[in-house]
Amino acid sequence: MLNHKDILSTIEMIDQQHLDIRTITMGISLLSCCDEFPQKACMKIYDKITRSAENLVKTGEDIEREFGIPIVNKRISVTPMALVAGASRTEDYAPFALAMDGAAKVCGVDFIGGYSALVQKGFTEADKKLIQSIPEALARTELVCSSINVGSTRAGINMDAVAMLGQVVKDTAAATADRDGLGCAKLVIFCNAVEDNPFMAGAFHGPGEAEQVINVGVSGPGVVYHALQAVKGQPLDVAAETIKKTAFRVTRMGQLVAQEASRRLHTPFGIVDLSLAPTPAVGDSVARILEELGVEVCGTHGTTAALALLNDAVKKGGVMASSSVGGLSGAFIPVSEDEGMIAAARKGTLCLDKLESMTCVCSVGLDMIAVPGDTPAETIAAIIADEAAIGMVNNKTTAVRLLPAPGKKVGDTIELGGLLGSAPVMPVHPEGSAAFITRGGRIPAPLHSLRN
């Protein structure tokens, strides 16, 4: 039973501390849309998405208005498109992305994810065609997001896919050079991708999911930061307990919204993803939480330990609040989307190597990081391989979303706008990795993958 104090506290979190529901994402299976004729398949894709999600935005807006809880994004995720398009006799996969984009615009959502392929152990012909089409697909669409899973703890890392994607990232940046390489902000390369992630750009509706499902992503860096101010200087276990209790309250709100959306849309409730997803707004930063814990500037010594505490406490609090926690659930560190990360990167305290070490203990990985436009494709591939190795060995989801900024050099800034923010161009090591990347093949799965 909520008391008067609880209600006022929740109002304060929403009104002053940037608490929101970051996204309601409807997952839709498109496996029934397979057709040997690509035009028919695209029509089926368009029709099923628009039919299934026609009330998604209105329902989100109704809940937002009636409950007084901000719902920032309404999104759609679909079956990895390589699985759907593979039945069609065509070499050109761009029309599938255009069908997704058209449907998303009709539904009024912010993004649609699932222009994806799962290639951790090898390629199908459809996988290759889809990966090769990514630069064109992301340049010709506005709302489509793409993701590729190149590795897993059970399968190892497909280094042929990693090498291919290093060049695809470069080509995507070039294809959207007039927008500071914006297409790369809609492309994620995963290891151990999850099937129920509601966050873009990596969301897709996994083959093991139901026909349709509602997943909700909550966020509350500002709430956690505010809560920690009340225990300033106290032992770290006290800080962890404070974060855990705060995450519990945030997740309960997400559970409420998810269940209500599920009921109104007559769609099964999937999961609540309780990730702390920052925004460029002041007061909504994961980096500032780490600094509140005691590190002077995010990126200095102690940052990784502080992030480990934060990530663990968020998960513990969320799991107690819902029996359906899923997705990624933890703390995100997207540089361009976090004003504290941006400040630390501009100061030089936060560098690519430190970010990589931080990904060992947080959710996902190297996210929304701008690098010089002339960074070689093999270097980008090597960064992807490093991050995939962390995910593979540690049995966790890791990802890379790099932004090679066309025509930009270290110290310049790219402007992406909205929730994507802006990012200072960060240096990469000048020494080459081409000989390693061009070997190709597969990095075998680690010994501890043999769990049966």
Side-chain angles (χ1 to χ4, degrees):
M1 190 78 175
L2 287 176
N3 58 36
H4 184 66
K5 182 179 178 182
D6 290 330
I7 294 171
L8 290 178
S9 175
T10 302
I11 292 172
E12 183 182 15
M13 289 193 298
I14 293 170
D15 189 47
Q16 300 177 25
Q17 300 164 23
H18 301 281
L19 178 61
D20 56 48
I21 300 297
R22 187 54 48 88
T23 179
I24 294 178
T25 301
M26 175 179 281
I28 303 170
S29 173
L30 297 182
L31 292 175
S32 61
C33 299
C34 296
D35 197 291
E36 64 175 317
F37 300 106
Q39 297 90 344
K40 288 186 178 180
C42 289
M43 289 177 59
K44 290 179 181 179
I45 289 166
Y46 179 90
D47 289 344
K48 186 164 187 181
I49 293 171
T50 53
R51 184 173 66 251
S52 301
E54 62 178 340
N55 295 317
L56 176 62
V57 171
K58 181 181 183 302
T59 298
E61 291 172 345
D62 289 346
I63 294 172
E64 184 175 14
R65 183 174 58 255
E66 293 171 27
F67 287 70
I69 300 172
I71 301 173
V72 179
N73 289 293
K74 295 84 178 175
R75 298 164 172 169
I76 297 168
S77 64
V78 298
T79 306
M81 190 52 62
L83 299 179
V84 181
S88 298
R89 291 185 282 183
T90 181
E91 298 296 316
D92 182 10
Y93 275 28
F96 296 103
L98 293 169
M100 291 171 61
D101 198 53
K105 288 176 179 176
V106 168
C107 292
V109 297
D110 301 280
F111 288 108
I112 181 167
Y115 197 73
S116 308
L118 311 175
V119 298
Q120 57 269 23
K121 205 170 183 179
F123 298 101
T124 65
E125 288 303 311
D127 294 331
K128 290 180 181 178
K129 292 174 186 176
L130 184 134
I131 292 172
Q132 291 164 352
S133 73
I134 287 173
E136 179 187 0
L138 296 184
R140 293 178 62 187
T141 60
E142 295 180 32
L143 307 180
V144 171
C145 293
S146 178
S147 60
I148 309 294
N149 192 64
V150 298
S152 73
T153 300
R154 295 302 294 261
I157 303 172
N158 181 347
M159 290 299 292
D160 293 323
V162 169
M164 183 184 296
L165 284 160
Q167 187 60 54
V168 165
V169 171
K170 289 275 292 183
D171 292 345
T172 302
T176 53
D178 59 326
R179 289 161 281 171
D180 269 348
L182 176 64
C184 293
K186 300 188 290 176
L187 171 59
V188 183
I189 297 102
F190 279 114
C191 178
N192 288 320
V194 297
E195 297 191 347
D196 55 3
N197 167 25
F199 285 101
M200 298 299 170
F204 63 86
H205 187 70
E209 293 286 309
E211 184 72 17
Q212 290 176 206
V213 71
I214 290 291
N215 296 322
V216 165
V218 300
S219 186
V223 179
V224 173
Y225 174 79
H226 180 81
L228 285 173
Q229 291 180 317
V231 294
K232 191 183 295 287
Q234 295 189 36
L236 290 173
D237 52 338
V238 175
E241 189 67 18
T242 300
I243 295 169
K244 187 169 70 174
K245 290 177 180 177
T246 304
F248 177 90
R249 295 167 65 193
V250 170
T251 307
R252 291 301 288 174
M253 189 181 75
Q255 173 99 352
L256 170 68
V257 170
Q259 289 178 328
E260 188 64 20
S262 170
R263 182 184 68 81
R264 297 187 185 197
L265 291 166
H266 309 289
T267 301
F269 163 41
I271 56 94
V272 176
D273 185 320
L274 50 102
S275 297
L276 293 183
T279 72
V282 174
D284 201 25
S285 161
V286 169
R288 299 305 185 193
I289 295 174
L290 305 180
E291 292 168 359
E292 182 63 29
L293 285 169
V295 297
E296 185 175 348
V297 178
C298 179
T300 194
H301 307 297
T303 298
T304 304
L307 183 57
L309 181 154
L310 172 64
N311 206 57
D312 179 67
V314 166
K315 289 177 185 290
K316 287 174 178 174
V319 166
M320 290 296 292
S322 173
S323 59
S324 300
V325 169
L328 301 167
S329 292
F332 288 179
I333 52 171
V335 174
S336 79
E337 299 174 11
D338 186 310
E339 64 85 17
M341 297 276 176
I342 295 169
R346 285 186 173 140
K347 191 171 184 178
T349 310
L350 190 64
C351 64
L352 196 57
D353 289 344
K354 184 59 178 178
L355 282 162
E356 183 181 296
S357 71
M358 291 165 66
T359 65
C360 297
V361 300
C362 78
S363 293
V364 198
L366 297 171
D367 198 14
M368 294 299 286
I369 299 169
V371 297
D374 61 359
T375 302
E378 293 84 1
T379 297
I380 293 171
I383 294 170
I384 295 169
D386 283 344
E387 194 60 28
I390 290 172
M392 176 186 71
V393 171
N394 291 289
N395 197 28
K396 70 185 293 291
T397 302
T398 53
V400 173
R401 189 161 44 149
L402 286 183
L403 313 170
K408 299 291 179 71
K409 60 184 185 299
V410 174
D412 292 340
T413 298
I414 63 170
E415 299 288 345
L416 300 173
L419 288 176
L420 298 176
S422 63
V425 178
M426 300 173 69
V428 300
H429 290 291
E431 295 79 12
S433 309
F436 174 66
I437 294 301
T438 55
R439 293 172 77 104
R442 186 157 58 96
I443 294 179
L447 181 62
H448 60 260
S449 67
L450 303 176
R451 293 185 172 187
N452 288 342

